[in-house]
Amino acid sequence: MAPPCGNRRRWSRAIKMTLCLCFLIPMAAGIRNTNTIFGQKQKLDVQQQLKFLNRPALKSIKSPDGDIIDCVHINKQPAFDHPFLKDHKIQMRPSFHPEGLSFDESKDVSSKAESKITQLWHLNGRCPEGTIPIKRTKEEDLLRASSVATYGRKKHPRFNTDVTVKGDGREHALVYVEGDKYYGAKATINAWKPQIQEHDEFSSSQILIRGDVSGVGVNTIEAGWQVNYELYGDTNTRLFIFWSNTNANQTTGCYNLLCSGFVQTNDQIGLGGALAPLSNYAGSQYELNFLVWKDPNGGNWWLQVGDKYILGYWPASLFLSLFDSASEIHWGGEVINSQQGDEHTSTQMGSGHFPDEGYSRASYFNNFQIVDSSNILTAPKNSSTLAEKPKCYNVINLGSLFYYGGPGRNLNCP
């Protein structure tokens, strides 16, 4: 006998619910399993990358800012995992320095400023001879990146000095030269702590050396200071380097020692380490000297920071477009404008003040020069300035000295 009509409806609903549960339970289990698989893979990727980046240390130093500096044997550094550097013999010193090297030509600014910038970890110790200091990478550093594979890379690797070309979020205030062959560059860079609005933005001040050969690709070398939360997990001002090799197929290169490439020879300075002290508005000014040049013997691109610290070199074999010389040199500031809420970022460049405020208020580059084909430092000829949005960040070139920077969003830069 058939069940009453009301019972039929209840049985029908019960059957439907049972069928739904039969489908949903395995589906939910499948999602959990998939998430578990992805989670396990990410964890494995993180652990493998940490093992690559963090080499066995002969000594470790805890910095007051929370960094851990590992003193790694010079022959165990990441550079020698690069396929072009497997049998590389370390060159401990450059064959030649550029002629005419001096960081004291201008008495207008440098005589007033102090060059005694150090790194915070020095307060708690130094690395022994035969090692190099490497800032330890933590798990949370990798998890901040969009992927483990992109940690230490730039999101915005391309650059064009033509202001008519639409930007990619990067904005600049700089002086540059192009149209000749260049074999290096130097400058004294005023050091500040600009404020950053968004965690995926940064503010940097650097020398950039660029080689662009048609049909070959673009190579870049950078050295300076930056505030970069996504990379370091804080807003400290830090020493940085960067290099890239871009062609039609791929882009290689990275910040500091976060991939194989740069060969460090110095046991005193840690790339990515925090700098102190820093300049104060209308107060004490601090600056740091940078020199990048191509060794005439062997073709390696060397880096010197300060008056005496030769940090190491980018081997010539890393590059094609910089193998002979550079085609452009840039000096100045760069920020990322993520345009949150369709408003310009308030991330600062330099001191966060416009260049017309002058010394002790605006950030500056002093004694900026190029290295010519005779390995002689000389003032750049026919230099140009670039500021895509001068009401946000601007530059004033006064010859051997220029002021640059700005606050970002303001009444004239909405």
Side-chain angles (χ1 to χ4, degrees):
M1 184 174 67
C5 187
N7 288 342
R8 285 181 191 170
R9 286 196 292 270
R10 285 196 292 273
W11 287 1
S12 176
R13 286 198 297 270
I15 291 170
K16 287 179 181 178
M17 289 177 65
T18 302
L19 289 172
C20 286
L21 287 171
C22 289
F23 284 107
L24 288 174
I25 290 172
M27 188 182 299
I31 291 171
R32 284 197 300 271
N33 289 338
T34 302
N35 288 338
T36 301
I37 292 170
F38 281 134
Q40 290 173 343
K41 183 180 185 306
Q42 184 189 45
K43 188 173 182 179
L44 180 61
D45 289 344
V46 166
Q47 294 306 314
Q48 288 177 338
Q49 188 69 356
L50 287 174
K51 185 177 180 180
F52 168 77
L53 293 172
N54 297 326
R55 305 303 169 101
L58 300 179
K59 176 182 178 180
S60 294
I61 301 167
K62 180 71 177 290
S63 175
D65 63 350
D67 287 352
I68 298 176
I69 303 298
D70 290 324
C71 304
V72 176
H73 193 283
I74 192 170
N75 290 319
K76 301 296 184 182
Q77 63 181 294
F80 303 119
D81 287 341
H82 195 286
F84 294 166
L85 303 175
K86 290 294 186 184
D87 300 316
H88 183 81
K89 184 178 179 181
I90 298 178
Q91 183 181 352
M92 292 302 297
R93 302 284 297 180
S95 303
F96 297 96
H97 261 85
E99 294 182 31
L101 177 61
S102 172
F103 288 102
D104 298 318
E105 288 106 356
S106 173
K107 300 302 179 184
D108 294 335
V109 168
S110 289
S111 62
K112 304 175 189 176
E114 300 183 41
S115 298
K116 296 178 182 178
I117 295 178
T118 186
Q119 293 192 300
L120 288 175
W121 66 273
H122 288 166
L123 296 173
N124 291 338
R126 299 288 180 121
C127 283
E129 188 176 351
T131 69
I132 64 166
I134 300 180
K135 179 182 175 295
R136 186 181 299 179
T137 300
K138 303 172 185 177
E139 182 175 345
E140 54 263 36
D141 295 329
L142 297 179
L143 294 177
R144 279 194 309 273
S146 56
S147 72
V148 174
T150 60
Y151 177 69
R153 270 63 171 176
K154 268 193 180 182
K155 292 182 179 178
H156 312 269
R158 299 184 181 276
F159 176 68
N160 196 313
T161 52
D162 184 352
V163 295
T164 64
V165 176
K166 282 192 174 182
D168 56 3
R170 300 196 302 168
E171 295 180 16
H172 308 84
L174 56 82
V175 173
Y176 69 96
V177 289
E178 60 182 353
D180 203 346
K181 289 188 174 184
Y182 308 102
Y183 298 83
K186 77 175 259 291
T188 298
I189 308 178
N190 191 205
W192 293 80
K193 185 179 181 178
Q195 299 300 305
I196 308 300
Q197 176 182 310
E198 302 293 332
H199 284 172
D200 61 350
E201 298 177 338
F202 68 73
S203 181
S204 64
S205 296
Q206 75 270 334
I207 296 173
L208 181 146
I209 293 173
R210 189 173 192 263
D212 187 351
V213 177
S214 179
V216 175
V218 178
N219 298 156
T220 61
I221 288 171
E222 298 178 38
W225 60 259
Q226 69 175 182
V227 176
N228 188 331
Y229 180 89
E230 189 170 64
L231 187 61
Y232 305 110
D234 59 32
T235 56
N236 289 333
T237 299
R238 295 176 177 272
L239 174 71
F240 87 97
I241 63 170
F242 180 81
W243 69 276
S244 70
N245 185 350
T246 303
N247 56 43
N249 299 317
Q250 63 178 346
T251 296
T252 56
C254 63
Y255 284 107
N256 305 328
L257 300 180
L258 295 175
C259 67
S260 305
F262 184 81
V263 177
Q264 182 158 342
T265 58
N266 184 279
D267 60 14
Q268 299 297 310
I269 302 296
L271 293 167
L275 299 171
L278 299 169
S279 301
N280 296 304
Y281 185 79
S284 299
Q285 299 299 294
Y286 294 91
E287 56 187 26
L288 200 55
N289 303 321
F290 289 87
L291 169 65
V292 179
W293 80 101
K294 190 173 187 290
D295 192 339
N297 288 352
N300 297 328
W301 288 87
W302 283 84
L303 170 65
Q304 178 172 323
V305 177
D307 297 333
K308 60 181 180 179
Y309 296 117
I310 299 174
L311 264 62
Y313 58 91
W314 293 270
S317 57
L318 294 178
F319 305 114
L320 292 175
S321 297
L322 283 173
F323 189 81
D324 175 60
S325 61
S327 55
E328 294 179 33
I329 306 288
H330 307 162
W331 302 265
E334 176 183 19
V335 300
I336 293 296
N337 173 24
S338 58
Q339 201 78 21
Q340 292 292 321
D342 291 327
E343 290 184 327
H344 193 282
T345 183
S346 60
T347 288
Q348 299 173 338
M349 180 189 293
S351 69
H353 292 262
F354 284 112
D356 56 5
E357 293 193 39
Y359 182 75
S360 83
R361 292 166 172 79
S363 190
Y364 61 81
F365 276 60
N366 192 25
N367 301 326
F368 62 99
Q369 295 179 305
I370 58 99
V371 180
D372 67 15
S373 59
S374 300
N375 200 36
I376 297 173
L377 279 159
T378 183
K381 298 177 181 177
N382 302 318
S383 63
S384 302
T385 60
L386 170 69
E388 295 99 337
K389 296 183 179 179
K391 293 181 180 180
C392 308
Y393 314 105
N394 208 354
V395 57
I396 297 176
N397 188 1
L398 301 176
S400 64
L401 164 75
F402 69 84
Y403 291 100
Y404 73 100
R409 186 172 69 246
N410 62 79
L411 291 176
N412 297 315
C413 172

